[in-house]
Amino acid sequence: MFKKFSDKENISGTTQVKTSVIRSIREKLLDKYPDIKDYIDQILPKKEPMKLIKCHDHIEILAVGGEPIFFKQRDDFMPTLKLLHKYPFLLPHQQVDRGAIQFVLSGANIMCPGLTSPGANLVQAEKETVVAVMAEGKEHALAVGVMKMSTDDIKSVNKGVGVENIHYLLDGLWHMKAIKK
């Protein structure tokens, strides 16, 4: 989604978010990610201005203090990798083996064999769950993805795409500069 993302080409507008909308966003985030309850004031400070950055392909990026922290494409907000590195407990972790790292970092989806091989660690999750993609022997997440099959299906079928790669290290969103507008 963010492979060829560029600030200059893809951003169509930036708006200041109203207080009532911020409250609504906070409630949605608390519903979707209950583990951030104790950290919501650090992630979304009440005194800090919040901007909604509208991009092409129905992508919206939520920025606090100019830094992108959440993004969405039509549906629910997902944390950016920079936020996920600060708060790694936000999402369930699915670990791939060492052989998958280079493919994940080039934007490829995570295939089922990469999630079931030795070195991988598959945590129970349902289809359409937003997950952090970890790598064998690495401390931080490589990508944010969406489960395309439940973990039970991944184990039984062991073929095809297990996790859709949405946002990964060194993609356009990772390199996005702070918004000053």
Side-chain angles (χ1 to χ4, degrees), residues 14 23 29 52 62 107 115 149 155 158 164:
T14 305
R23 274 195 299 273
L29 291 174
L52 190 64
L62 193 63
L115 292 164
M149 297 183 196
K155 289 175 185 173
N158 204 20
E164 181 184 3

Side-chain angles (χ1 to χ4, degrees), residues 69 79-91 93 105 132-135 138-144 167-170 174:
I69 57 168
T80 62
L81 275 169
K82 289 181 182 179
L83 183 68
L84 196 58
H85 288 178
K86 290 178 189 170
Y87 304 96
F89 53 84
L90 280 179
L91 298 175
H93 294 184
L105 292 179
V133 179
M134 307 300 283
K138 303 297 178 191
E139 181 182 347
H140 294 291
L142 296 176
V144 174
H167 164 42
Y168 56 94
L169 281 175
L170 307 177
W174 175 264

Side-chain angles (χ1 to χ4, degrees), residues 39-55:
Y39 302 93
I40 192 75
D41 289 330
Q42 293 171 14
I43 296 170
L44 299 173
K46 292 183 180 179
K47 300 284 185 199
E48 194 77 37
M50 190 179 303
K51 298 203 183 293
L52 190 64
I53 303 160
K54 297 199 185 263
C55 307

Side-chain angles (χ1 to χ4, degrees), residues 147-166:
M147 298 286 291
K148 289 292 139 192
M149 297 183 196
S150 68
T151 48
D152 296 334
D153 291 343
I154 289 172
K155 289 175 185 173
S156 65
V157 175
N158 204 20
K159 191 182 282 185
V161 176
V163 178
E164 181 184 3
N165 190 345
I166 304 292

